[in-house]
Amino acid sequence: YFKAIMNQDYNAYKETLDPYYLEVYNTWLDGSFGYGMETSFETMHQSLMDAACIDEEGNAITVEKMTITKLQLKETAIEDGVDQTEFINDYLAQYDSVIGEGFTDGLREQCDDVINVTFTMTADCDGTERVIMSDMEVLLAVHGDEYKLLG
């Protein structure tokens, strides 16, 4: 997912997404904004680069080249003793309210489960290793032994 974004490889990016999410979200973007997932994907690359161009003190810096060096994922099924089922349901309800009622039901019908993961990304930014994203959450649709992103 992140490698595809960094390399600006839209076809590789699509392979990482849940197919139902890709279809429904692409249709919604096109109908609501007149552009699809490919345009949305292009902004993700810029967002990653923007994250790399802020130092630890919050100051803007120039970064010519960024390479992802480490991605730490942690399933947040139970965090601090709290079951994440309600969080996942609330997150999916946001999709229902934005994309349209029935998204969650459609998604759950075509996958085995939906899980919440937290990730932290470290990258080499012009020779300096820096954490560029920390404790970010994303949902994954589980399809057997494959995990596909919603995002």
Side-chain angles (χ1 to χ4, degrees):
Y1 176 82
F2 295 108
K3 185 177 178 182
I5 293 170
M6 285 309 307
N7 294 333
Q8 297 177 297
D9 185 342
Y10 181 64
N11 289 325
Y13 168 74
K14 288 190 310 184
E15 291 298 316
T16 69
L17 297 179
D18 176 82
Y20 178 77
Y21 167 83
L22 175 61
E23 176 187 332
V24 172
Y25 197 66
N26 190 52
T27 299
W28 176 77
L29 282 173
D30 188 46
S32 297
F33 301 103
Y35 63 81
M37 286 294 286
E38 191 161 4
T39 299
S40 179
F41 164 78
E42 291 167 3
T43 64
M44 289 180 194
H45 173 79
Q46 188 58 51
S47 294
L48 274 180
M49 290 303 295
D50 290 347
C53 293
I54 303 293
D55 70 13
E56 292 74 21
E57 290 81 38
N59 301 311
I61 59 174
T62 300
V63 173
E64 297 294 325
K65 183 178 179 196
M66 178 179 83
T67 304
I68 298 168
T69 56
K70 182 173 25 173
L71 185 64
Q72 179 185 21
L73 291 175
K74 178 178 76 170
E75 183 178 357
T76 50
I78 298 177
E79 186 174 283
D80 298 325
V82 177
D83 184 348
Q84 292 294 296
T85 303
E86 185 175 337
F87 173 83
I88 292 169
N89 289 338
D90 289 347
Y91 200 111
L92 290 172
Q94 292 176 31
Y95 280 115
D96 280 339
S97 68
V98 172
I99 297 174
E101 292 297 321
F103 172 80
T104 297
D105 291 338
L107 176 69
R108 289 198 184 274
E109 286 174 11
Q110 60 84 42
C111 70
D112 301 324
D113 197 7
V114 177
I115 63 171
N116 179 34
V117 297
T118 302
F119 69 89
T120 297
M121 181 188 301
T122 304
D124 177 323
C125 300
D126 292 337
T128 301
E129 189 159 273
R130 302 183 42 242
V131 173
I132 61 169
M133 293 185 168
S134 181
D135 296 325
M136 304 294 286
E137 294 189 73
V138 66
L139 295 184
L140 300 174
V142 181
H143 298 268
D145 61 353
E146 287 190 322
Y147 297 83
K148 299 289 188 169
L149 278 95
L150 307 180

